[in-house]
Amino acid sequence: MKSTVNMFSIKVDRFKLTNIDNDMLVNYALDMKNKLQTISGPVIDSSWQSEDIRLHESEKFKSFYSIYENKLNQVYHTSYNKNYKVKISLAWCSVRNHEEITKPHYHKESFLSAVYYPQAHNEELQFLNPNPQLFGLSHKEYVEKYDEYNSEYWHVRVDTGDLLVFNSMLYHYIKPTNKQRISFAIDSIIVPN
């Protein structure tokens, strides 16, 4: 008789957000990118990331980030203590393939990170397995089908309206695209409820 014990699982939660003004978010990101280009000259590949990392404090985005933070806390309270909650600490937006989001990275000052896509077209957000030492002999010729037990990386496909929430220590990156992709990302901290 066989018995399997799953240990040390990592999850990425996906929400399909509705009633979000995606046009307003897209226009904001494009307007800010265009203002920067007017000041500093054209950006070669049309990629851009906001310098303002406190978008969540703007009155313009209050409703959007309230929904965002609610979803973060749904994820947090599923696995952690209800005497605490997570609070958005940083928020920024990106257009297309800014180098900081297309290279593997993690967010060391954050507990949960998340990214919302007001505009995306079947994109791949890649996650690297945090236990690479477990996969020394997971070469393609030894694996018939990759799954959560034998993969060095995993990807989640995202489209317009998708919000992904994940552990901030998980290395991740978005695959470059030729299409216009816009994302709004956040980091969070734990605070008393």
Side-chain angles (χ1 to χ4, degrees):
M1 179 176 189
K2 178 186 173 195
S3 171
T4 299
V5 177
N6 292 314
M7 291 189 278
F8 312 123
S9 295
I10 299 169
K11 66 178 186 162
V12 174
D13 288 282
R14 180 202 311 255
F15 297 92
K16 187 59 112 173
L17 298 187
T18 56
N19 300 321
I20 300 293
D21 189 348
N22 286 327
D23 290 337
M24 183 273 290
L25 295 172
V26 167
N27 290 333
Y28 171 83
L30 294 175
D31 287 348
M32 294 307 294
K33 180 181 81 72
N34 291 336
K35 284 179 187 174
L36 177 67
Q37 288 179 337
T38 301
I39 295 167
S40 62
V43 177
I44 294 171
D45 69 357
S46 299
S47 297
W48 171 81
Q49 183 166 297
S50 66
E51 303 252 339
D52 184 355
I53 55 174
R54 301 244 177 244
L55 291 179
H56 61 294
E57 294 175 355
S58 167
E59 195 62 35
K60 180 175 189 166
F61 298 110
K62 188 174 186 176
S63 169
F64 169 63
Y65 284 111
S66 174
I67 294 167
Y68 213 138
E69 200 164 74
N70 179 285
K71 297 301 183 191
L72 283 171
N73 278 292
Q74 280 183 355
V75 170
Y76 178 78
H77 290 134
T78 298
S79 299
Y80 297 97
N81 189 330
K82 292 193 177 25
N83 293 325
Y84 294 87
K85 64 181 181 179
V86 289
K87 177 182 173 189
I88 296 173
S89 56
L90 301 173
W92 63 97
C93 62
S94 300
V95 175
R96 287 200 59 218
N97 304 317
H98 193 274
E99 67 179 333
E100 289 187 27
I101 64 172
T102 58
K103 293 179 182 175
H105 64 282
Y106 66 99
H107 302 247
K108 66 181 176 181
E109 303 297 326
S110 177
F111 184 74
L112 288 176
S113 293
V115 60
Y116 176 71
Y117 296 91
Q119 188 174 73
H121 312 278
N122 197 27
E123 311 287 345
E124 285 186 18
L125 185 58
Q126 301 279 336
F127 293 93
L128 304 181
N129 192 315
N131 297 311
Q133 66 273 20
L134 298 178
F135 301 102
L137 292 176
S138 289
H139 302 294
K140 193 172 185 172
E141 63 266 22
Y142 303 135
V143 178
E144 188 171 316
K145 181 180 178 191
Y146 285 103
D147 60 25
E148 65 270 24
Y149 301 110
N150 61 17
S151 296
E152 293 180 64
Y153 66 91
W154 202 262
H155 73 265
V156 177
R157 291 207 175 271
V158 293
D159 282 303
T160 297
D162 284 340
L163 169 68
L164 298 183
V165 180
F166 51 92
N167 185 300
S168 299
M169 294 297 106
L170 197 55
Y171 272 94
H172 60 282
Y173 64 96
I174 191 84
K175 286 181 106 174
T177 184
N178 292 325
K179 300 173 184 172
Q180 181 168 275
R181 176 188 57 236
I182 296 176
S183 60
F184 280 70
I186 63 93
D187 282 341
S188 69
I189 56 173
I190 301 171
V191 295
N193 203 352

